[in-house]
Amino acid sequence: MEKMIIVGTGCAGLTAAIYTARANLTPLVLEGRLPGGQLTTTTAVENFPGFPDGVDGPDLIMRMKKQAEKFGSRFQYGVVEEFQPGKPHRLKIDGQWIETKALIIASGASPRYLDIEGEKALIGHGLTSCATCDGAFYRNVPVCVVGGGDSACEEATFLTRFASEVYLIHRRDSLRASKIMADRALANPKIKPVWNSTVTGYLTDEAGEVRGVTLKNLQDGSVSELALKCVFVAIGHEPNTAPFRHALPVDENGYLIQKQGTQTGVEGVFAAGDVADHVYRQAITAAGQGCAAAIDAERWLADSE
Ligand code: NAP
């Protein structure tokens, strides 16, 4: 039986791994579908303290993992299929049950899509949620970003390195993004805002690749088509709580609820980072929560022995 399992290797999971490893708990850290979490899909991180010139997202994650390994964390690829709370808690990973005394869930959140018919099949064929991953494939062609938050502005600004123009399609007439990121995006001559509009459908060519979108103007109801080669969706995230929802309290959007410090509704099960936080969602707050969860878990283990 394990003493400590950490689910997730984003900022929250890796910080929890560093702290619990330094407390001699030799945590088993499960790397899921996106090892390293969302920072691996971002470029320059300019707001993580200690890096005045910014730091590359994947590089920051790599450094955290190295630090966690240095103190004895063990990493294993594994997606949680089922969870049974108890003494011990049980997790089903790739068909096999493993048991642990304490559990820190730091499984993060995944990008949302628009929920338009046929959408799933287009992912990777001119539809994506990751500019860092796919931007370079779309050189000197028009693309669009959907959304009005920091992610949309960051992705749109990044995409201007490659695309001929970047339509920023937003359902309202002002951006939700922080002022500095909104100003930067709107000042870029390659970024063309399309206000008060939603994407209602994807247009494809004979090869099944996106060639454009249909748009609806929410003010006058008019419908139009926009020719482009790729749609980058940046409309927020869904918490990765599916295997835990039956056993742990979640809010109306599916985020894990922390009842006492970082402890969830079940003793010995802690939550950290975007899986439980729909408010701050920053690398540094996720790291802070990973630290708090590690300390809470360590104390809980000491008290329960
Ligand atoms: P967000 O702030 O929740 O913004 C989502 C955007 O998508 C909003 O503009 C929203 O419109 C729009 N939207 C939501 N559902 C939609 C739908 N079905 N159809 C069309 N549009 C839809 O998400 P985010 O931009 O991913 O940011 C999440 C958090 O990460 C924020 O706290 C942000 O500050 C942070 N972040 C920080 C950085 C950075 O500092 N470098 C970079 C990226 C993200 P409405 O505005 O109308 O609601």
Side-chain angles (χ1 to χ4, degrees), residues 70-86:
K70 178 175 150 189
F71 295 114
S73 302
R74 294 161 298 138
F75 287 82
Q76 178 187 316
Y77 176 79
V79 173
V80 178
E81 291 156 356
E82 280 181 58
F83 165 65
Q84 284 176 356

Side-chain angles (χ1 to χ4, degrees), residues 44 47 112-114 146-152 154 170-172 174 176 181 198 234-237 279-282:
N47 51 12
R112 287 172 58 203
Y113 282 89
L114 294 167
V146 183
D150 280 338
S151 298
E154 186 176 63
H170 185 36
R171 60 186 179 184
R172 294 186 296 118
S174 65
R176 169 186 297 276
M181 294 184 89
T198 52
I235 61 164
H237 294 85
V279 179
Y280 303 107
R281 296 184 292 190
Q282 303 297 301

